[in-house]
């Protein structure tokens, strides 16, 4: 069980991500004929809720730089994830090798 | 969980920034001390920061039909204590606020408070409780990371409800609305974050046990149990 624990957990994560994609159905276009979009960011939905609760509220500050398109935005998000994952991979590789070398030197010189 | 730029009234923006600042400052100081005393912990600190980078970049779909992302702060909170995550979370939030227009500078204080303070403190507290209740190591980590994640989003809902109370139902009605958007969406993501954190901890427990024992996170018996 312990051996497969990590694999099972990773499969569970994939299932958790895939399940909503499969389960949530796109609602029919609204009366204005506009397609209803799904899987938008929760942050944007919160903005809509604010608009409903306090329609007179105007944001008083604008982002200094905005990604010029969704593509550039996803480029930066991918960069962020790649930097993190790259570093974790490097550390993991180093730790694995170090543990292996420790084991080998223990075997050669039992003390 | 990012409150968008300009979407908190000035008073709230200043208040949350003032509330977060001492945590970030003390966190920076304590990290500096730690690295000075134990330079060998630098790598694990890097892993904790990198994990937050990865997870907060992953926008995942949820059963509510919207997308949100995990926070990744539970790992570092368990390893280095919650205060250490305040400056680390700030770096991630700044990156997203400045380059991605995700979150914002005026809402930075509030976002730091939810993601880099409440989340990590909750995670560290849950881990300590689970450990004293003698729950298995993996389960303790899972509960710590996923509850820390969830409470981050509950905090965001509280922050928005305080700033925008419902004209009819006041704070409670408003909190219910924001919590539906944030906290409910977050439930499956919190589970994912918990599982991913356990995967990383399993690797650490296997290859970096010496460091973990030195940091008093776990003992060898607890991991094998």
């Amino acid at each position: 069980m312990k051996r497969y624990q990590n694999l099972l957990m990773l499969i569970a994560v994939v299932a958790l991500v895939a399940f909503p994609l499969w389960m949530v159905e796109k609602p029919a276009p609204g009366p204005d004929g506009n397609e209803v979009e799904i899987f938008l960011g929760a942050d944007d939905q919160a903005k809509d809720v604010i608009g409903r609760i306090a329609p007179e509220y105007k944001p008083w500050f604008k982002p200094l730089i905005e990604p010029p398109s969704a593509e550039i935005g996803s480029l930066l998000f991918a960069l962020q994830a790649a930097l993190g994952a790259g570093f974790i991979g490097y550390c993991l590789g180093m730790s694995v090798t170090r543990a292996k070398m420790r084991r080998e030197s223990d075997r050669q010189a039992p003390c | 969980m990012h409150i968008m730029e300009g979407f908190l009234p000035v008073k709230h923006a200043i208040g949350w920034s003032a509330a977060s600042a001492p945590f970030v400052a003390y966190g920076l100081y304590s990290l500096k001390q730690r690295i000075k005393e134990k330079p060998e912990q630098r790598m694990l600190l890097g892993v904790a920061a990198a994990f937050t980078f990865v997870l907060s970049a992953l926008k995942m779909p949820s059963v509510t039909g919207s997308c949100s992302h995990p926070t990744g702060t539970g790992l570092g909170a368990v390893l280095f204590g919650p205060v250490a995550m305040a400056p680390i979370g700030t770096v991630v939030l700044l990156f997203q606020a400045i380059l991605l227009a995700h979150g914002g500078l005026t809402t930075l204080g509030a976002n730091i408070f939810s993601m880099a303070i409440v989340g990590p403190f909750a995670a560290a507290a849950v881990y300590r409780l689970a450990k004293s209740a003698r729950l298995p190591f993996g389960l303790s980590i899972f509960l710590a990371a996923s509850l820390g994640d969830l409470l981050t989003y509950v905090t965001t809902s509280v922050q928005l409800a305080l700033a925008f109370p419902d004209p009819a139902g006041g704070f409670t009605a408003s909190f219910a609305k924001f919590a539906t958007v944030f906290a409910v969406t977050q439930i499956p993501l919190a589970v994912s974050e918990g599982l991913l954190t356990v995967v990383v901890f399993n690797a650490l427990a296997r290859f970096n046990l010496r460091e973990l024992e030195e940091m008093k996170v776990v003992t060898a018996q607890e991991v094998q149990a």
Side-chain angles (χ1 to χ4, degrees):
Chain A
M1 174 64 201
K2 186 90 187 167
R3 228 183 112 199
Y4 297 108
Q5 197 192 17
N6 280 348
L7 185 65
L8 286 176
M9 285 192 294
L10 290 175
I11 292 174
V13 171
V14 173
L16 275 169
V17 172
F19 180 68
L21 293 178
W22 169 72
M23 193 195 79
V24 177
E25 273 180 38
K26 206 174 170 125
D32 47 0
N34 286 340
E35 289 267 322
V36 183
E37 286 192 77
I38 50 171
F39 294 121
L40 294 172
D43 296 355
D44 281 303
Q45 292 190 326
K47 195 170 77 175
D48 298 341
V49 176
I50 294 175
R52 255 175 283 142
I53 292 177
E56 72 289 352
Y57 184 81
K58 291 270 176 299
W60 54 282
F61 200 81
K62 284 227 160 64
L64 301 175
I65 314 171
E66 261 189 88
S69 76
E71 261 63 36
I72 308 295
S74 68
L75 167 72
L76 289 166
F77 271 113
L79 181 70
Q80 187 191 331
L83 284 175
F87 188 80
I88 293 177
Y90 164 76
C91 290
L92 186 63
M94 204 175 80
S95 302
V96 170
T97 315
R98 195 181 55 183
K100 203 164 135 194
M101 285 167 77
R102 252 184 216 156
R103 265 202 310 277
E104 268 165 26
S105 71
D106 284 353
R107 207 168 39 207
Q108 276 162 8
C111 45
Chain B
M1 113 295 136
H2 297 71
I3 302 177
M4 305 236 274
E5 185 75 286
F7 270 90
L8 271 186
V10 183
K11 266 189 206 160
H12 289 255
I14 295 172
W16 289 114
S17 305
S20 299
F23 287 92
V24 178
Y26 180 70
L28 267 179
Y29 166 79
S30 76
L31 276 184
K32 234 184 222 167
Q33 292 295 105
R34 189 189 272 270
I35 295 299
K36 212 157 98 194
E37 281 164 29
K38 304 229 161 73
E40 70 276 10
Q41 287 183 4
R42 219 177 286 172
M43 191 192 80
L44 279 184
L45 190 65
V47 170
F51 191 66
T52 307
F53 253 74
V54 179
L55 285 209
S56 60
L58 297 179
K59 296 199 205 166
M60 301 170 159
S62 177
V63 280
T64 50
S66 59
C67 278
S68 186
H69 58 86
T71 62
T73 54
L75 180 82
V78 170
L79 282 176
F80 292 99
V83 184
M85 289 318 283
I88 292 177
T90 304
V91 172
V92 178
L93 288 167
L94 259 180
F95 176 88
Q96 296 186 329
I98 295 176
L99 292 177
L100 287 157
H102 192 59
L105 296 174
T106 58
T107 51
L108 186 66
N111 289 336
I112 291 175
F113 200 85
S114 61
M115 177 173 140
I117 297 173
V118 173
F121 269 91
V126 170
Y127 181 67
R128 199 170 278 187
L129 271 176
K131 224 179 139 186
S132 61
R134 295 179 186 276
L135 293 183
F137 171 66
L139 183 62
S140 310
I141 296 288
F142 172 78
L143 289 174
S146 46
L147 288 174
D149 177 316
L150 198 60
L151 273 173
T152 294
Y153 281 80
V154 172
T155 308
T156 305
S157 310
V158 170
Q159 289 169 329
L160 284 172
L162 284 173
F164 301 100
D166 193 84
F171 171 82
T172 328
S174 176
F175 174 73
K177 284 181 196 165
F178 286 114
T180 321
V181 169
F182 280 122
V184 178
T185 303
Q186 199 62 20
I187 292 170
L189 274 69
V191 174
S192 292
E193 164 153 11
L195 294 172
L196 289 172
T197 309
V198 178
V199 171
V200 173
F201 254 105
N202 279 346
L204 291 180
R206 192 162 157 213
F207 300 113
N208 302 75
L209 190 56
R210 267 186 220 182
E211 281 104 322
L212 292 193
E213 284 192 299
E214 198 169 286
M215 291 158 76
K216 300 198 172 63
V217 175
V218 282
T219 59
Q221 292 91 340
E222 283 173 329
V223 175
Q224 273 143 19

